[in-house]
Amino acid sequence: FGGGVMADVEPFWKGAPWLALDGMSESNFRQVVAEARQLEWWETNKLLEMVRNPSLIVGQYTPANEAGSVCTKCNRSQAEHVGEGLQKCFSPDLCAEIVGWLLSGEAPDAWQKRAKALSLSTTCGHVFKDEDWAYRCNNCATDPTCCVCAACFQDSSCHELGHKYVFFRAGPGGCCDCGDVEAWKEEGCCTKHRHCAVRDSEATAEDTSIVQQVPLQLLQFVIDVTCEALLHVRAEGDVQHMQGTRSACLFNDDIHDMLLVQTAIQRSTDCSPQEALRLTMAAHDHGFTEVLTGSEAACGRCCEKLRSAGLGASVTTSHWKPRELQACAVIAMLRNICSVSNGLRRQICEILLYGADSVAESGVVVAGGGERSSWQTGSSSWCRKLLSAEEEIWCASLAPLHELYIQVIADEESKNAFADLFVGLYPRMMQHRATSTVEGTMTAMDLSVQIFTVPTVVQRLVRFSNLLPLMTRPLVKYLVDTRAAGTLFDEHQNPNLSYKLFPR
């Protein structure tokens, strides 16, 4: 709190994940990857099973005795190998590394660097972190919200052409508009994202080769497993998801000071000041921490108290938490893949927007066991499910999901479908934003500037999706309700009201 999480030292297995898997040699690892990529042994392949159910790493590469397999890293049995033990032995980054090998058939970092060097993505889409430098050119930007990242601007010709521009520290959540012809004039784009008929035709052939390197069915599998982990999707008759200790988790942010967080933890958990300080430092150092373990009701009450203090909090179980952490790492990897190839971005977008129909709506369980009856409205996409469950899913996944959504919007063939989906959920999201007390977390409402500033998209939404009434009705209802309750101008009840209703 009051600062970001320190970056970890690069792990010893980076580029060579077999080093972290007991009994696995490089040749054996490459063979298993090749089998998975050819869809051989689809249900029994070791790496695929590990991605689907990471607790299966126990006993995968060590002989089982009569008493059962024991993990050589934490010395726990397979039944006990959950929670912190599983995170230690099969970390989120290791999971993402293995997924990268499965998708590309080689070291994922080297593969992405090679694809990036080919300039196969016609849009940048870099998502700004807090305090990143951004540039706005008065000659090239089509509206005051458009800007580009420092790397794209320095590779452009705006300075040489004598354009008037300003640079500033960007807030988190926005993205670079270089390559988006509706946001930035082509003459001001960098050399990587400037359209050229000859270069584009060559890039198309190279992009096709990169796309064909990734098995589509395997990509679908990875995205399905990732989304299922965040949404706590269970199979028919599966009771494992109910097992494990429930916990309330607190997440780090860059807004609240440590004294406020420490006080909120004390009030939420009735712990000592020393324990509250320890938990505050743990969340600051690691990005999140468990502040309470117990019943679902107790953890729910703890989360509500933390959220009422403006802090991000989620309820999870020891069964789901390792999978949620791994899902966040895989989402970050998918976002990086989107940024290096138009073709792969389109495939990922199609799976997110049109996949998940095979998932039974009654099988979706969110944040500790509550069924979401609002989802029982026929088939829906992963994007719709994730946006609908935004209030309940693992809080740390909101930022990487936001970056992935921006890649969906950057795809020419997907942005209208995503805009239709976004507008359909807009009244609900606006109501939640207006009444939520949580600050410092990314929400779907932060995507509004990416959608409502695109001329062709807005014109289409106004004509065919009844956009203006959808936007104004929730606002009018909220203003009328708060006026009737006498809290419209109460800063304690409605802090930063204008910002919350009009975040951009």
Side-chain angles (χ1 to χ4, degrees):
F1 294 92
V5 181
M6 295 297 292
D8 294 330
V9 178
E10 188 170 278
F12 69 94
W13 46 256
K14 192 67 174 176
W18 54 86
L19 297 176
L21 305 177
D22 293 322
M24 179 69 81
S25 64
E26 179 179 356
S27 60
N28 189 15
F29 180 84
R30 291 182 180 275
Q31 179 183 352
V32 174
V33 168
E35 290 169 354
R37 287 173 52 76
Q38 294 172 12
L39 306 183
E40 296 180 12
W41 303 345
W42 180 253
E43 294 299 327
T44 58
N45 182 277
K46 296 176 181 178
L47 295 182
L48 295 177
E49 282 297 315
M50 197 182 303
V51 172
R52 180 189 289 119
N53 186 0
S55 63
L56 293 177
I57 189 174
V58 181
Q60 281 282 1
Y61 309 111
T62 56
N65 53 37
E66 295 181 359
S69 302
V70 175
C71 178
T72 57
K73 291 188 176 69
C74 65
N75 200 32
R76 300 185 185 188
S77 68
Q78 182 164 337
E80 299 172 325
H81 200 256
V82 294
E84 299 298 332
L86 179 54
Q87 293 172 46
K88 174 184 176 183
C89 301
F90 194 58
S91 68
D93 291 337
L94 177 57
C95 178
E97 179 81 5
I98 291 177
V99 168
W101 273 86
L102 289 172
L103 294 179
S104 62
E106 57 182 285
D109 282 355
W111 173 66
Q112 290 182 33
K113 286 179 182 177
R114 190 171 70 254
K116 190 172 184 178
L118 296 173
S119 300
L120 301 178
S121 177
T122 53
T123 57
C124 177
H126 168 75
V127 179
F128 295 116
K129 309 296 184 185
D130 196 26
E131 296 299 306
D132 277 357
W133 286 108
Y135 289 76
R136 180 178 297 118
C137 177
N138 295 337
N139 300 78
C140 297
T142 58
D143 70 67
T145 67
C146 299
C147 58
V148 295
C149 65
C152 286
F153 184 84
Q154 291 166 7
D155 191 32
S156 72
S157 56
C158 290
H159 183 71
E160 288 77 4
L161 294 173
H163 290 179
K164 296 180 179 180
Y165 62 88
V166 294
F167 58 95
F168 55 95
R169 294 286 190 181
C175 73
C176 175
D177 293 309
C178 188
D180 184 350
V181 293
E182 292 197 74
W184 205 261
K185 292 182 180 178
E186 188 174 338
E187 65 176 9
C189 293
C190 70
T191 56
K192 290 182 179 179
H193 303 122
R194 188 177 302 157
H195 295 273
C196 169
V198 175
R199 186 178 68 83
D200 287 352
S201 62
E202 294 175 352
T204 300
E206 294 169 334
D207 199 17
T208 301
S209 176
I210 290 289
V211 170
Q212 291 174 346
Q213 188 175 344
V214 179
L216 179 58
Q217 200 171 349
L218 188 55
L219 181 62
Q220 173 91 50
F221 169 82
V222 167
I223 293 176
D224 287 351
V225 170
T226 302
C227 295
E228 287 169 2
L230 292 177
L231 293 169
H232 294 192
V233 174
R234 56 176 172 82
E236 190 77 28
D238 179 26
V239 296
Q240 244 190 345
H241 73 285
M242 298 299 293
Q243 298 173 351
T245 306
R246 297 189 183 278
S247 58
C249 294
L250 171 68
F251 296 85
N252 184 46
D253 62 50
D254 295 331
I255 294 179
H256 300 93
D257 62 70
M258 291 193 176
L259 181 59
L260 183 148
V261 177
Q262 184 178 350
T263 303
I265 292 175
Q266 280 186 259
R267 292 175 178 173
S268 303
T269 63
D270 295 326
C271 66
S272 65
Q274 294 78 12
E275 177 65 8
L277 177 60
R278 185 190 69 80
L279 293 172
T280 301
M281 294 307 300
H284 175 77
D285 293 338
H286 304 294
F288 80 99
T289 190
E290 293 182 355
V291 296
L292 182 71
T293 57
S295 67
E296 182 178 354
C299 291
R301 288 192 298 269
C302 177
C303 266
E304 287 303 315
K305 291 179 181 179
L306 291 172
R307 289 171 180 169
S308 66
L311 304 174
S314 299
V315 177
T316 188
T317 70
S318 57
H319 172 80
W320 286 113
K321 187 173 72 171
R323 292 157 178 79
E324 291 167 321
L325 290 168
Q326 290 154 8
C328 291
V330 173
I331 288 172
M333 184 205 63
L334 292 172
R335 180 254 176 257
N336 292 336
I337 291 176
C338 287
S339 67
V340 300
S341 166
N342 284 339
L344 287 175
R345 179 197 291 125
R346 187 149 301 156
Q347 286 195 347
I348 292 173
C349 291
E350 288 177 356
I351 295 171
L352 289 171
L353 288 170
Y354 307 110
D357 286 345
S358 60
V359 177
E361 295 296 315
S362 60
V364 178
V365 180
V366 178
E371 298 283 355
R372 294 190 69 87
S373 58
S374 59
W375 290 8
Q376 315 251 344
T377 54
S379 61
S380 62
S381 66
W382 284 128
C383 274
R384 178 177 288 277
K385 292 179 190 295
L386 290 168
L387 288 171
S388 299
E390 185 181 62
E391 305 163 31
E392 305 293 339
I393 62 176
W394 186 250
C395 196
S397 69
L398 297 180
L401 280 173
H402 177 87
E403 297 188 9
L404 190 59
Y405 295 148
I406 284 181
Q407 292 298 325
V408 177
I409 297 170
D411 184 70
E412 284 296 321
E413 296 186 12
S414 302
K415 62 182 180 183
N416 282 318
F418 187 84
D420 290 340
L421 171 63
F422 184 85
V423 168
L425 296 172
Y426 187 83
R428 171 180 173 173
M429 292 188 296
M430 189 173 181
Q431 177 66 21
H432 169 65
R433 182 62 174 262
T435 57
S436 174
T437 56
V438 178
E439 300 174 335
T441 59
M442 201 71 66
T443 70
M445 282 293 289
D446 293 301
L447 296 168
S448 58
V449 69
Q450 311 298 333
I451 296 174
F452 296 149
T453 57
V454 182
T456 57
V457 171
V458 173
Q459 291 171 15
R460 177 178 168 277
L461 292 174
V462 169
R463 292 182 62 188
F464 302 111
S465 298
N466 212 22
L467 177 61
L468 292 179
L470 282 174
M471 293 181 68
T472 55
R473 283 171 186 164
L475 172 62
V476 172
K477 181 180 184 303
Y478 182 78
L479 294 175
V480 170
D481 290 347
T482 52
R483 181 183 179 185
T487 60
L488 178 59
F489 300 106
D490 188 338
E491 275 296 312
H492 179 69
Q493 293 288 333
N494 299 300
N496 303 319
L497 179 63
S498 61
Y499 170 76
K500 293 170 76 175
L501 292 177
F502 303 102
R504 297 290 180 183

